[in-house]
Amino acid sequence: MENLNTTESIDKSVGEISGESGTSTTESSNESPGAGHELNVFLGEGMMGGMGALIDGVRAWARAAFMHGIHLRYQIAKIKEYATSFNNNVNKIAEAKRSLSVLNGVPNQSGLGLGTTTISEVMRHMGSSDNPLVFNNGDYAKYLMSNAIADLKANYKDFYYGGTAPLTGGAVKVLGNLKNMSELTLRAGVLARGGKAGNLNVVATWLHDMTIGEVAGLAAKGEKEAMTGIKILKQASKKAQKY
Amino acid sequence: MEIDIIGKRIKSVKVINSQENCKYYERLFLYLDDLVLDVTVDNSNDELIFKKQNSKYQLEEDLIEPEWSNKLIEGTINSFWECQNNMGYNDLFILGINESFPTVCIYSIASQIEIRMINPININF
């Protein structure tokens, strides 16, 4: 994780195409020199009107591509961090894995656009070279990544801190007697209550590997998919017949 | 349901809001002519629980009269359905108010109560 903080040196060079300084090309040409500026000079001022939309499109694409890189690198950095700091501690590593899977399920956080992508998909993506920008601009990816981590920490505390987040008052009410299951994942919980894995087909996939406590927290806030997840958990097995 | 509510008039509807989301309710009270139907949720299996309370029943908590309650007040309960879902749990209760067709659904999910009105399809559009 120590490499992630060295963002100053690359800040200037990537500011132009990050998209965060504004999407208008005419605005960015007035800012400090960088990759985008050179592109503007190369194309000439006269062409900028016609090329603006195209350049914006390329920038948007580049940003999306880098965002994928951010998420992949972030996950790998987290794995390394947990592996070194919690060396030989099986429980802690299990916890780290769980929090990673939780992170993996964050829906479309701040344009990361990963949605319901699973870890295996992310890893496959990382292994392939269909996204050369990620590899050719490692520094830029790191810069954006550190931004994304800060954003995650600030706005997605519940996800970022994974299974260690304490139960909220609402979650306790939602869970009721199932409070002691809050550390299990939703998938494990459904199986533990006598359900089948197929019961989860009606629940959004990004919830499957979240802990029950987190799903309950979302359900208490009125998140429809999480409420369905809690319902499936509570009614995992068929009710005994009266007759 | 053992509680006799058929033919009774709804005098008032009151709720206790869910802690974090006011679209869902923790508890629902239907004030009828001579009794109060107290609806709660079993938090271990999300089933609806019905209790009969005295018509003078009071709670320490402040009860809220929701905006939609005026659609039910002064209505007469013609019929009701206690519904069982595919897993065998009674988590849906339907009232037919002023007609024998279902008009109001009371559904329990994640230890909370959700209420929806059933509107007829307008076939003359």
Side-chain angles (χ1 to χ4, degrees):
Chain A
M1 293 290 278
E2 67 275 4
N3 292 334
L4 306 178
N5 299 324
T6 58
T7 60
E8 294 82 4
S9 59
I10 51 168
D11 192 350
K12 283 180 186 172
S13 64
V14 299
E16 285 292 317
I17 54 170
S18 69
E20 285 157 8
S21 56
T23 51
S24 163
T25 52
T26 49
E27 269 178 32
S28 61
S29 65
N30 293 331
E31 291 171 16
S32 59
H37 181 72
E38 284 165 16
L39 184 62
N40 291 351
V41 171
F42 173 72
L43 291 168
E45 292 296 322
M47 289 177 70
M48 287 314 295
M51 295 294 284
L54 177 63
I55 292 169
D56 279 356
V58 171
R59 282 182 179 163
W61 174 79
R63 181 171 164 76
F66 282 130
M67 283 302 189
H68 274 281
I70 291 160
H71 198 74
L72 303 173
R73 283 159 193 267
Y74 173 58
Q75 296 226 16
I76 285 160
K78 288 295 284 182
I79 292 169
K80 282 182 184 165
E81 187 186 67
Y82 278 118
T84 50
S85 63
F86 301 134
N87 197 16
N88 298 329
N89 188 331
V90 176
N91 291 334
K92 289 285 183 185
I93 287 174
E95 196 176 292
K97 277 183 188 166
R98 199 177 58 222
S99 80
L100 269 171
S101 65
V102 165
L103 241 185
N104 190 40
V106 179
N108 293 324
Q109 359 100 350
S110 64
L112 286 181
L114 282 170
T116 56
T117 311
T118 62
I119 280 190
S120 58
E121 278 168 338
V122 172
M123 289 303 185
R124 196 173 62 237
H125 187 72
M126 185 68 186
S128 69
S129 56
D130 61 351
N131 203 346
L133 282 167
V134 173
F135 301 98
N136 296 342
N137 293 278
D139 287 345
Y140 179 48
K142 276 181 201 165
Y143 162 75
L144 283 182
M145 189 166 124
S146 60
N147 279 357
I149 291 169
D151 181 53
L152 267 177
K153 279 182 176 169
N155 299 319
Y156 298 92
K157 279 181 192 148
D158 292 353
F159 292 108
Y160 186 80
Y161 293 105
T164 55
L167 281 181
T168 61
V172 171
K173 273 195 175 174
V174 164
L175 286 178
N177 299 339
L178 278 67
K179 202 173 70 177
N180 55 357
M181 293 180 87
S182 66
E183 290 289 306
L184 288 177
T185 62
L186 189 62
R187 193 192 302 274
V190 167
L191 296 176
R193 278 178 69 80
K196 296 170 189 163
N199 291 9
L200 283 165
N201 288 347
V202 294
V203 183
T205 46
W206 61 278
L207 292 167
H208 292 186
D209 292 313
M210 283 174 76
T211 66
I212 289 167
E214 286 154 354
V215 179
L218 292 173
K221 288 173 187 163
E223 163 72 51
K224 287 256 176 197
E225 288 176 339
M227 290 175 90
T228 307
I230 294 294
K231 177 137 211 148
I232 295 300
L233 170 73
K234 288 187 177 179
Q235 302 183 348
S237 60
K238 284 215 179 224
K239 191 178 177 185
Q241 295 297 309
K242 288 174 190 169
Y243 311 106
Chain B
M1 191 166 61
E2 289 166 8
I3 308 163
D4 182 23
I5 57 170
I6 294 296
K8 291 187 175 162
R9 205 163 41 96
I10 299 173
K11 289 159 78 181
S12 164
V13 181
K14 290 191 176 169
V15 294
I16 297 176
N17 275 341
S18 166
Q19 194 186 24
E20 292 183 37
N21 193 323
C22 57
K23 275 161 69 180
Y24 299 93
Y25 309 109
E26 202 176 299
R27 205 164 171 183
L28 167 77
F29 296 93
L30 282 180
Y31 286 77
L32 305 178
D33 286 330
D34 57 346
L35 63 94
V36 179
L37 185 64
D38 175 2
V39 187
T40 48
V41 183
D42 182 343
N43 61 21
S44 62
N45 60 12
D46 270 357
E47 279 194 304
L48 287 167
I49 300 170
F50 298 95
K51 279 182 206 154
K52 178 183 173 181
Q53 306 284 10
N54 189 294
S55 60
K56 288 174 185 168
Y57 182 68
Q58 290 289 335
L59 270 180
E60 286 180 10
E61 292 173 78
D62 287 334
L63 300 180
I64 299 159
E65 197 163 47
E67 219 173 274
W68 47 262
S69 67
N70 56 10
K71 292 183 178 173
L72 309 186
I73 291 172
E74 293 301 317
T76 305
I77 298 175
N78 267 16
S79 46
F80 68 80
W81 293 260
E82 281 183 280
C83 307
Q84 207 175 59
N85 70 7
N86 54 312
M87 301 299 275
Y89 295 89
N90 297 305
D91 57 2
L92 176 63
F93 183 68
I94 302 174
L95 286 169
I97 295 173
N98 288 341
E99 53 181 324
S100 54
F101 197 84
T103 50
V104 182
C105 280
I106 301 171
Y107 177 64
S108 54
I109 183 165
S111 304
Q112 297 164 73
I113 296 170
E114 185 175 354
I115 296 168
R116 292 197 190 180
M117 306 283 177
I118 300 172
N119 296 317
I121 299 170
N122 182 5
I123 55 169
N124 298 318
F125 57 84

